[in-house]
């Protein structure tokens, strides 16, 4: 069995954003030379997500609105976590909803997606460097 690892560095200049990272994951898969196996992609930070959905800008605005409704950033004083001096309690909650990782099957050297599936990095407390882990195993 072959194993391949790559780390993507993300530095988003705003607090919240969704970034399509499908092309980078496909590049890693190509570099791995793996034809049949599994590809794991996960955010290595507890205020960011990796998830799969449609690359449609209206949907991404809907996500942001929905997440702000569930866990509004303001007032920051309403969260116990922010008593540590941080202001990112909402980002931890948003990350939990959107998830930590995805696993995609690798078939004939390609990511075996369903219709319209794309891989996204979800940032909820940006303006600093964060990492995304890509781990591919198989033959
Ligand atoms: Zn925090």
């Amino acid at each position: 069995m072959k194993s391949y690892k790559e780390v993507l560095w993300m530095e988003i200049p705003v607090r919240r954003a969704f970034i399509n990272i499908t092309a980078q994951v496909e590049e890693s898969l190509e570099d791995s030379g793996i034809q049949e196996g599994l590809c794991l992609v996960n955010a290595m930070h507890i205020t960011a997500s990796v998830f799969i959905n449609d690359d449609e800008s209206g949907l991404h605005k809907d996500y942001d609105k929905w997440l702000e409704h569930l866990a509004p950033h303001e007032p920051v004083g309403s969260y116990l976590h922010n008593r540590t001096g941080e202001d990112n309690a909402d980002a931890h909650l948003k990350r939990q909803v959107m998830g930590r990782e995805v696993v995609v099957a690798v078939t004939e050297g390609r990511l075996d997606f369903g219709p319209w599936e794309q891989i996204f990095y979800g940032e909820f407390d940006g303006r600093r460097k964060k990492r995304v882990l890509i781990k591919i195993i198989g033959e």
Side-chain angles (χ1 to χ4, degrees), residues 81 86 88 92:
H81 176 66
E86 292 189 277
N88 67 2
H92 290 275

Side-chain angles (χ1 to χ4, degrees), residues 14 23 42 51 55 63 67 78 95-96 118 128 133 137:
V14 292
N42 71 269
F51 64 96
D55 195 1
Y63 275 139
L67 290 166
S78 67
R95 185 276 171 114
Q96 206 67 38
Q118 297 278 291
R128 57 199 167 100
L133 175 69
I137 56 169

Side-chain angles (χ1 to χ4, degrees), residues 46-47 81-82 84 86-89 91-92 125 128:
I46 52 181
T47 54
H81 176 66
N82 288 342
T84 61
E86 292 189 277
D87 68 350
N88 67 2
H92 290 275
D125 185 24
R128 57 199 167 100

